[in-house]
Amino acid sequence: MNRLKDAASPYLIQHKDNPVDWWQWEPAAFAEARRSNRPILLSIGYAACHWCHVMAHESFEDAATAAVMNELFVNIKVDREERPEVDQIYMSALQQLGVQGGWPMTMFLDPEGAPFWGGTYFPREAKYGQPAFTEVLKTMANAYASGDPRIAQNREALLHRLREKARPAGAVTIGLNELDDVATRILGIMDPEHGGLQGSPKFPNTPFLELLWRAYERSGRQRFRDAALHALDGMSEGGIYDHIGGGYSRYSVDDHWLVPHFEKMLYDNAQILDLLGLAYSQTQADLFRARAEETVGWLEREMLTEGGAFAASLDADSEGHEGKYYVWTLKQVLDALGAADAEFFARHYDIVPFGNWEGVSIPNRLKETERSPADELRLAMLRDKLLAVRATRIPPGRDDKVLADWNGLMIAALANVAPRVHRPEWVELAARAFRFITESMVRDGRLGHSWRTGKLVFPGLSADYAAMIGAALALHQATGDAAYLDQAVAWQATLEAHHAAEDGGYYLTADDAEGLLVRPQATADDAVTNPNALIARNLVRLATLTGDEAYRARVDRLFEGLLPRAAPQLYGHAGLLNALDTRLRAPEIVIVGAGPEAEALFAAARRLPRADMVIQRIADATALPPDHPAQAKAASVTQAAAFVCAGAVCSLPVTDTAGLIRAVEARARAEA
């Protein structure tokens, strides 16, 4: 075994038996590179990454390739989910070299950690115009050893570009008109036939869908809403969704959602779940409610860890083949269900004699077929039978580390969606995960990032605080428990103390974390909404819930510093634009009073299909800050009432759920 045998990350442990003399990302590895005057080969991947496994089998498990790696390099293996700050730096460097980027990421560094060249997957033998991995290794090592001036030039150019990206530019103004313009442009690149963005591969791209949804909220234009719903419909009926066991895969390799890249990530399912809740509350379409319930069913069945938190991901591969666990032949369905039921199921789920993908069938419902309620009930029972059969197969690997940021996204999604689909028990599911993180992943009031088998990666990242503060605020809104709000306030103070940047944004790493080549502070979205965007949304909600206007001033400083960096590439900053929409509109409902009438108003408010709606429940007007716009009106009511507020204006009191819905709709029309 190599040094990875003691790692906490399941991805690193997968490589513990490699003949490669792997190091973890640690100072000792860089010390060894300096001592031996060898460059560093940095390999970054993650447990559910298919091509990471391919390169591992081809090269890292091959003794001859490993011998070249061990002789010429100090080899460091990184789990991008455990060390996203490291991944962010070197992915940015790779893109500066003109490489699109992806995983596995293969970077060549000097002993100080400065990158000078890189790529993604390299085959063991030369093919398809790609050089053999060993030839790449020898070329890079020889260039470094010979003092090739291009090494120094590349290193300096990359460092210069990385540091330039971190510098704030001039002032930029973006308002509601600009947000509508971006939404209109995104609408122009949506796929009118299959939904989602045009072309392939097709990713869920939830920040774009949310941006379209918010444009509908602002303008009332159905085309924005319909584009978001069309994408959700396509991915929910396509093979990217696991129709037997629930949950969404990371993306579809084709342009119509049929063939997934089969890994399932916690963060994708959290972000999609939130949108499913909005979609169902807006349309009451059974599809969206069913997909939400099935996805949470998968979460409880396959992703719960012993302490109640959620595992990070499920692999794409099982038994050495991508997707083998999830696909079916017609014979397998016949054997499981019998002739009549198999024919019925196959007709509805595209199970065909020669398969719809590489000789096997991926269950999907992309073909429009009439289904009665009785048909749906029969199909549900047949899916349960197939799930039981599938459970006898060798499952894909599960990366069971607990990531604070991804758990925070799922906790918030569960708390937000629970009332919209009438599943109150999901709030307790979210609360259990929250308790685990506060009890197992906090030291002296500060969050860690990753936990597994009692080992905590500490300190946490701004992404962890962003998502977990959002989770605390969602649970506070769901339960009314002030302890969650107090925790959010405390974590925001810690975030300010250790992550605040000079330009108004937030660094990914803490000020006392291990030193890196540069201190990462990206503003664009990755597969997950950028933490600066999540923090901005939190700050707006904290200002509303606490009455402390310092939070609003803080978010204004964030936008002042970061919008200039976002302006040249607005598409890549959809998360930040969504946060700006929250800041500009800041929708709020204040419910005053107690008893069944107040409970009914609260329940109706929680089901509204509005993003980032802040709901306050108070016993009487004295609980509101003195300058709150509802203060005077709330003081005059003698029964349970709700006020719909935006900015400095609140509606007249409404005392029934129908009146509340009308008041929210009136506010939306005023915004339009």
Side-chain angles (χ1 to χ4, degrees):
M1 294 185 182
N2 54 44
R3 294 175 185 83
L4 302 185
K5 69 184 188 307
D6 299 320
S9 160
Y11 173 66
L12 299 188
I13 291 171
Q14 287 174 5
H15 294 79
K16 65 181 174 59
D17 295 315
N18 291 170
V20 179
D21 186 19
W22 289 116
W23 295 73
Q24 294 191 58
W25 181 275
E26 56 187 328
F30 292 89
E32 173 59 19
R34 290 190 291 270
R35 185 199 66 76
S36 61
N37 194 30
R38 285 180 292 168
I40 290 166
L41 187 151
L42 173 63
S43 176
I44 302 180
Y46 58 98
C49 167
H50 170 70
W51 286 102
C52 300
H53 298 322
V54 172
M55 191 166 179
H57 295 322
E58 288 182 348
S59 296
F60 303 152
E61 295 172 7
D62 178 64
T65 305
V68 176
M69 295 172 66
N70 294 337
E71 177 187 357
L72 300 179
F73 295 90
V74 171
N75 302 288
I76 299 177
K77 174 60 76 173
V78 166
D79 179 344
R80 71 172 291 260
E81 297 165 359
E82 187 177 64
R83 299 300 301 265
E85 75 280 21
V86 175
D87 176 71
Q88 189 178 110
I89 290 171
Y90 293 104
M91 182 59 73
S92 180
L94 184 62
Q95 291 166 346
Q96 294 296 329
L97 287 167
V99 179
Q100 183 176 358
W103 300 275
M105 178 170 29
T106 308
M107 294 297 292
F108 297 92
L109 322 178
D110 70 14
E112 302 304 319
F116 56 84
W117 198 74
T120 54
Y121 161 78
F122 292 101
R124 183 170 63 182
E125 299 174 352
K127 58 183 176 181
Y128 303 122
Q130 287 186 294
F133 186 44
T134 51
E135 291 306 313
V136 173
L137 295 172
K138 292 172 183 176
T139 300
M140 289 298 104
N142 288 337
Y144 179 81
S146 66
D148 189 324
R150 288 174 296 182
I151 295 288
Q153 291 166 6
N154 265 11
R155 181 177 60 230
E156 292 307 313
L158 286 171
L159 286 174
H160 175 74
R161 290 174 188 170
L162 286 172
R163 288 166 180 152
E164 280 294 308
K165 286 185 71 176
R167 293 181 182 175
V172 168
T173 299
I174 298 176
L176 293 176
N177 289 336
E178 288 75 21
L179 294 180
D180 287 342
D181 180 61
V182 173
T184 301
R185 282 186 276 155
I186 289 175
L187 202 61
I189 57 174
M190 298 296 281
D191 184 337
E193 182 177 1
H194 304 297
L197 293 176
Q198 295 173 14
S200 62
K202 259 184 165 40
F203 287 84
N205 210 320
T206 49
F208 272 26
L209 301 186
E210 184 183 335
L211 192 146
L212 291 171
W213 190 272
R214 288 169 177 269
Y216 163 67
E217 288 185 2
R218 289 191 302 271
S219 68
R221 295 173 192 159
Q222 298 281 341
R223 57 188 180 133
F224 292 123
R225 184 201 71 164
D226 291 348
L229 293 176
H230 190 27
L232 281 174
D233 186 279
M235 68 179 77
S236 295
E237 297 285 44
I240 189 175
Y241 181 75
D242 178 2
H243 291 267
I244 306 302
Y248 293 80
S249 295
R250 196 161 75 90
Y251 64 91
S252 170
V253 302
D254 56 78
D255 68 351
H256 54 286
W257 304 110
L258 174 62
V259 182
H261 206 3
F262 287 89
E263 68 264 44
K264 291 183 186 176
M265 317 302 293
L266 183 66
Y267 62 76
D268 279 324
N269 284 278
Q271 294 174 114
I272 294 171
L273 181 62
D274 235 339
L275 289 174
L276 290 172
L278 287 171
Y280 177 69
S281 60
Q282 169 67 219
T283 66
Q284 298 296 294
D286 288 340
L287 172 67
F288 301 129
R289 176 193 49 76
R291 294 298 177 265
E293 291 179 340
E294 293 159 1
T295 296
V296 176
W298 160 76
L299 186 73
E300 294 182 285
R301 187 180 64 252
E302 300 185 36
M303 301 301 282
L304 267 179
T305 63
E306 187 176 345
F310 306 114
S313 65
L314 294 180
D315 207 334
D317 298 12
S318 57
E319 302 180 68
H321 297 280
E322 183 182 7
K324 184 174 182 179
Y325 184 73
Y326 298 102
V327 297
W328 298 82
T329 63
L330 185 56
K331 183 180 183 304
Q332 288 171 332
V333 175
L334 278 166
D335 291 344
L337 302 180
D341 282 343
E343 186 279 329
F344 179 75
F345 184 87
R347 179 159 38 92
H348 287 277
Y349 282 93
D350 193 26
I351 311 297
V352 291
F354 298 103
N356 56 29
W357 175 68
E358 297 186 357
V360 293
S361 290
I362 301 166
N364 71 89
R365 299 184 9 158
L366 289 169
K367 295 176 182 175
E368 291 190 14
T369 304
E370 294 257 349
R371 298 182 186 93
S372 68
D375 289 338
E376 291 289 13
L377 181 60
R378 183 181 176 188
L379 288 169
M381 291 188 292
L382 297 179
R383 290 196 303 270
D384 286 344
K385 288 184 178 181
L386 291 178
L387 181 61
V389 171
R390 196 174 80 176
T392 66
R393 299 176 178 177
I394 297 174
R398 184 176 83 151
D399 186 338
D400 61 354
K401 66 176 176 287
V402 176
L403 298 172
D405 52 348
W406 296 5
N407 269 261
L409 294 174
M410 182 56 81
I411 291 165
L414 288 166
N416 291 337
V417 176
R420 290 177 173 146
V421 297
H422 309 285
R423 297 301 295 262
E425 67 274 18
W426 291 359
V427 176
E428 178 52 32
L429 181 64
R432 282 181 59 205
F434 190 89
R435 283 195 297 272
F436 176 86
I437 291 171
T438 56
E439 292 169 2
S440 302
M441 297 181 65
V442 173
R443 291 180 186 167
D444 298 324
R446 295 178 64 183
L447 279 165
H449 171 62
S450 174
W451 182 97
R452 184 175 182 273
T453 63
K455 298 176 183 176
L456 181 65
V457 175
F458 186 88
L461 307 169
S462 62
D464 299 308
Y465 286 95
M468 286 303 297
I469 292 169
L473 293 174
L475 283 169
H476 168 68
Q477 186 155 284
T479 65
D481 188 341
Y484 289 118
L485 179 58
D486 293 342
Q487 182 63 81
V489 168
W491 277 339
Q492 183 62 39
T494 303
L495 182 66
E496 295 294 343
H498 294 286
H499 294 265
E502 298 79 6
D503 64 358
Y506 295 85
Y507 290 113
L508 186 62
T509 53
D511 54 358
D512 56 353
E514 171 193 341
L516 295 170
L517 189 66
V518 293
R519 198 173 174 194
Q521 192 211 8
T523 56
D525 300 322
D526 197 342
V528 180
T529 297
N530 183 266
N532 280 287
L534 295 178
I535 293 166
R537 290 163 70 160
N538 292 340
L539 287 167
V540 175
R541 286 181 282 180
L542 282 167
T544 302
L545 291 168
T546 66
D548 187 347
E549 286 300 307
Y551 290 119
R552 216 176 303 275
R554 181 67 183 86
V555 77
D556 288 343
R557 192 152 55 86
L558 181 150
F559 284 124
E560 184 180 343
L562 299 190
L563 286 178
R565 293 169 58 180
Q569 297 177 319
L570 287 179
Y571 282 5
H573 292 81
L576 198 63
L577 298 183
N578 291 332
L580 179 61
D581 176 65
T582 296
R583 170 65 184 93
L584 295 175
R585 294 190 299 137
E588 178 189 4
I589 295 175
V590 178
I591 297 168
V592 183
E597 294 83 2
E599 289 294 331
L601 288 168
F602 176 68
R606 295 275 286 138
R607 289 194 294 269
L608 290 167
R610 300 274 297 202
D612 278 355
M613 177 75 78
V614 177
I615 303 169
Q616 292 208 68
R617 290 180 69 187
I618 58 173
D620 56 60
T622 59
L624 288 172
D627 56 352
H628 193 285
Q631 167 61 243
K633 293 175 182 176
S636 64
V637 299
T638 58
Q639 59 181 315
F643 301 87
V644 179
C645 305
V649 179
C650 290
S651 70
L652 293 171
V654 292
T655 57
D656 59 86
T657 57
L660 174 60
I661 293 169
R662 286 195 299 272
V664 170
E665 290 173 347
R667 172 56 56 191
R669 287 193 297 272
E671 291 168 355

